[in-house]
Every structure is written in C-alpha cells, then in structure tokens.
Amino acid sequence: MTHELKLLFTTLKSWQDLGKKVVFVSVVDLKGSSYRRPGVRMLIREDGEYAGAVSGGCVESEIERQAQSVFRSNKAKVITYDGRYRIGCEGVIHVLIEPVFLSDELLVAFENQLESRKSFQMDSFFYTEVGEYDNVGSVLQINGADYPLNPDFKQNETSSQKCFTQTFEPLFQLFIFGAEHDAVQLSQAGKLLGWEVTVVASPEESKSCDYFPGAASLIAPSFDAIDTSAIDEQTAVVLMTHSFNKDVQYLMALKDINPAYIGLLGSVNRRERLISMLLEQVPDLSLEFIEQIHGPAGINIGAENAAEISISILAEILSVVRKQKPVALREKVGAIHE
C-alpha cells in the first residue's frame, strides 16, 4: 500500500503544479466482499483523469460522477456502491471523496518518513450515511504531527462518526544478489509490485543499472565490504548468482540479518551443500538464520523459464510476508481476503 500512496502523492504534486483541482478517493468500509479491501485509494482530476483505482475498473466511473459535486462545493462526501446488484462482487463499499491539496510541509514530512524507513498512519473520518459533510476527511499522522489532506477539513468527532485507520509500513525492498539474465526478469517483476529493487553484483561485474530496467540501483561491493544496514524486516533477499562460491561468501556477509525472506536459487542438494560449507566457515551460525533460508526459492507452479521462475519466487515472498499458505482460491475456505 505504501508504494501506491507514494505514486498518488507524486502524481498529485504534478497536478497541483498544473493548477488542477483534484479529489482524493478512499474506500473506508466494506460489507461483504469486493475486489479491493478498505484502504485502497485513487485520485480524480477535475477534467476526468484518474490515477490509481479502487476496483478492477467497474466502480471508477460512478465515483467520477459523484465527485463532480465535490469539485463544485469543495465539500467532502460519502457514497456507497452496492456491487451485489451491479457487478456481482457480493459487497457494499463506503467511499470517501474529499478535496485534497498537499502542503509543502506535508510532502517534506512524508518524504523524510519514507527515507528513514519508518511507519506512519492515516485516519479517515467518515459516516456510514451517504451525504456531504464538513467533518469528514483524511489525516496523515507522521511522528506525532497531523497533516490533513484537505486544508479545510474540520475534525469534529461525533458518536456516530467512524474512523478507518491504516498503518503504512516502509516501502518493501527486494535485494537481488546476482546479475545474470534471470535477475533482469526478477527485478522487472518486483518493480511491477511496487518494490524498491537493488541488484548486488560481484565486484568484477561490468553491467550497469540500465541492464536491469526494474532496479532502482546496482551496487558491486567486495564481499568483505557489503553493507547490510539497509536490509530490514521489510526486505526480501534472493541469491541467484549461479556461483557456489559467491553464494557462500554472500551468505557469510548476510549471516546477521533478519529480513522478511531469504531465497536461494538451485536444488535442494545444492542448498544442503551451501549450508554445510557455510557452517564450516561460520561454526557458530545461528539456527534461526539457517531456518529462514528458502531453497529452492519459489513455489511449485511448473515454472520453466526465467520469467516464470520470477513469478514463482515473488509468489513465495508474498505468501511468507502475508503469512499465507499457497492454495488454489477455489479450494480456499472463507472469503478471498481473509
């Protein structure tokens, strides 16, 4: 979600610079099932241009129609959309549509928070009754300070008012150790998920970051100079060097990290050989580090080529991060998003 909000704010700033009026749209409540859960957001510009989406494409035109009164009155409103009778989604969503203008102070605080890799929160105040209100709107909370998205928002909580609270974690990172063709595919696929991708190449590597279209950066430190301080609990690490010796040296450099995921390309036999070699080099290696290594990386979807393997790996990362056991949705008991 954090990467989606970052993209929305970047787009909103560019539209503000053009002098365009914009509304900020948030799904704040859901009864039943829907394509996306509460917390998904989008922007609508006064000339009808969108950024983001709150559904698969079936709700946005109705929201744009409802937003016209917000552009005219500059007053926020709450609407509902009943998908049971229109699109078969089995649910009713409550949508908050509010005027928005990002102050320089808010943007600086937001960018600093992303840079420091700290979480933050957004509270969206709303009523379940459809209508226009002075006291509905969204407030960004960063380091104890409140930043309303609508400068005219007047917070005046009442007993019937609801508040949807959403916590945004630091941007998810993907560190790829290796610079071969399959790393290109994985970096591109990771970028599509909104992840910040870093490719770690060996010191003798001649490729540049341009070789990896999805990567934000490419670094090539010596094995004894690898800085692991940027690898945190919102980071996935994948080793795909296709070199046994390089993988051993990278694992030695990474032995003290605690990321969300560590994946290792190659067979089960190769993994066992790597761990044995690693234990010879680092006898006091913690059991916790060994147990968090996923090797072979990925889930079994019959992947054959580099693009398919990248999907397999990313699917496993998501399942680990979201604490889900991969299963066909038709076999899942209960709601899709539970």
Side-chain angles (χ1 to χ4, degrees):
M1 288 292 195
T2 307
H3 72 277
E4 293 178 326
L5 187 65
K6 178 186 176 184
L7 181 58
L8 290 181
F9 279 10
T10 300
T11 302
L12 178 53
K13 180 62 168 63
S14 68
W15 287 354
Q16 286 181 185
D17 291 343
L18 294 174
K20 301 294 185 180
K21 293 180 69 174
V22 185
V23 295
F24 191 75
V25 179
S26 308
V27 175
V28 291
D29 197 20
L30 168 65
K31 299 293 187 294
S33 65
S34 184
Y35 186 81
R36 295 288 303 268
R37 290 187 288 181
V40 62
R41 307 173 194 270
M42 67 177 292
L43 302 171
I44 300 178
R45 206 163 76 176
E46 57 185 330
D47 58 7
E49 187 169 344
Y50 300 169
V54 298
S55 74
C58 45
V59 180
E60 283 71 16
S61 59
E62 173 66 14
I63 294 176
E64 182 194 356
R65 187 182 71 83
Q66 294 277 359
Q68 299 312 305
S69 66
V70 181
F71 285 120
R72 290 192 300 268
S73 68
N74 205 41
K75 184 179 289 190
K77 69 188 298 187
V78 177
I79 68 168
T80 60
Y81 189 94
D82 193 337
R84 295 172 299 179
Y85 305 115
R86 309 188 196 187
I87 56 178
C89 276
E90 304 289 331
V92 179
I93 60 173
H94 287 76
V95 181
L96 172 63
I97 308 173
E98 59 186 305
V100 60
F101 186 88
L102 300 182
S103 66
D104 291 339
E105 183 183 14
L106 185 156
L107 283 170
V108 169
F110 177 73
E111 290 166 1
N112 288 342
Q113 199 73 354
L114 293 183
E115 183 69 23
S116 65
R117 298 193 57 75
K118 295 179 181 178
S119 61
F120 57 94
Q121 180 176 301
M122 186 182 292
D123 289 337
S124 293
F125 298 92
F126 69 100
Y127 293 95
T128 54
E129 288 292 322
V130 171
E132 293 186 341
Y133 300 93
D134 288 320
N135 62 334
V136 297
S138 300
V139 179
L140 205 60
Q141 295 185 351
I142 299 176
N143 291 331
D146 291 347
Y147 301 91
L149 301 190
N150 176 9
D152 295 328
F153 170 59
K154 302 169 184 175
Q155 187 171 342
N156 181 22
E157 296 182 52
T158 65
S159 59
S160 59
Q161 191 179 60
K162 308 286 187 181
C163 178
F164 172 71
T165 297
Q166 184 175 15
T167 299
F168 293 86
E169 300 294 343
L171 289 166
F172 198 82
Q173 300 180 125
L174 173 62
F175 274 68
I176 302 172
F177 287 77
E180 302 303 326
H181 172 66
D182 50 0
V184 175
Q185 297 292 327
L186 185 60
S187 67
Q188 287 180 311
K191 177 66 174 178
L192 287 175
L193 295 180
W195 297 354
E196 298 281 312
V197 180
T198 298
V199 175
V200 184
S202 56
E204 69 274 11
E205 183 57 63
S206 60
K207 298 185 182 79
S208 69
C209 194
D210 293 337
Y211 187 77
F212 304 90
S217 62
L218 181 146
I219 58 177
S222 60
F223 295 109
D224 59 356
I226 295 174
D227 182 7
T228 62
S229 61
I231 299 176
D232 55 25
E233 294 179 354
Q234 288 293 311
T235 306
V237 173
V238 179
L239 278 72
M240 49 197 321
T241 68
H242 300 276
S243 165
F244 186 88
N245 290 333
K246 288 179 182 178
D247 280 353
V248 171
Q249 292 182 80
Y250 281 134
L251 285 171
M252 289 174 62
L254 298 171
K255 62 182 176 61
D256 295 320
I257 65 171
N258 184 32
Y261 173 93
I262 302 177
L264 183 63
L265 210 63
S267 66
V268 172
N269 180 59
R270 184 177 187 274
R271 179 197 66 198
E272 295 306 309
R273 288 172 52 224
L274 275 168
I275 292 175
S276 294
M277 178 65 73
L278 190 60
L279 286 169
E280 287 183 16
Q281 300 296 321
V282 189
D284 59 346
L285 186 68
S286 71
L287 180 61
E288 289 77 10
F289 178 77
I290 295 173
E291 289 181 339
Q292 67 180 322
I293 297 175
H294 295 260
I299 60 174
N300 182 20
I301 58 172
E304 294 285 349
N305 58 39
E308 294 172 352
I309 290 170
S310 69
I311 292 172
S312 169
I313 293 172
L314 294 181
E316 182 176 48
I317 294 172
L318 284 172
S319 71
V320 171
V321 170
R322 306 276 170 82
K323 296 179 173 58
Q324 297 290 321
K325 182 179 180 180
V327 62
L329 286 177
R330 68 178 182 178
E331 298 174 4
K332 187 176 186 298
V333 177
I336 291 175
H337 292 301
E338 285 182 351

